């Protein structure tokens, strides 16, 4: 993602732009915004589940260790005929 040099440059730009005295306040506000976003997302999911109890909850499929990005959780990449 970002290397050490890019992060250092970004930090210097932020320090120049906002000033050292404003950084703690800025970080606090970003943390509050993240918590609010998380709680609102959770509330929306709870609300949607309560509104339509017949609809199953969305399923999250996670990659299993050893699978490459293109493989399905059940195995195989999806190319070629299905085996029976």
């Amino acid at each position: 993602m970002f290397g050490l040099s890019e992060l250092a440059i970004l930090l210097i730009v932020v320090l120049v732009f906002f000033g050292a005295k404003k950084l703690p306040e800025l970080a606090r506000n970003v943390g509050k915004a993240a918590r609010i976003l998380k709680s609102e997302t959770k509330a929306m999911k709870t609300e949607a589940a309560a509104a339509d109890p017949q609809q199953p909850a969305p399923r999250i499929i996670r990659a299993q260790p050893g699978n490459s990005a293109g493989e399905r959780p059940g195995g195989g990449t999806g190319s070629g005929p299905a085996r029976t």
Side-chain angles (χ1 to χ4, degrees):
M1 187 156 161
F2 289 116
L4 186 59
S5 60
E6 289 92 358
L7 290 175
I9 292 170
L10 184 64
L11 180 61
I12 290 170
V13 169
V14 169
L15 277 171
V16 168
F17 189 70
F18 290 107
K21 292 183 180 183
K22 292 283 185 177
L23 283 180
E25 182 182 342
L26 180 67
R28 204 173 300 120
N29 288 335
V30 168
K32 285 180 185 179
R35 281 191 297 275
I36 290 170
L37 179 65
K38 185 177 178 181
S39 67
E40 289 297 322
T41 304
K42 186 176 179 180
M44 285 177 53
K45 286 180 183 177
T46 304
E47 216 173 84
D52 191 8
Q54 298 290 356
Q55 185 178 7
R59 219 175 93 200
I60 299 173
I61 299 174
R62 299 188 179 167
Q64 296 177 1
N67 283 356
S68 65
E71 291 184 14
R72 293 182 186 167
T77 59
S79 59
R83 295 184 184 166
T84 57

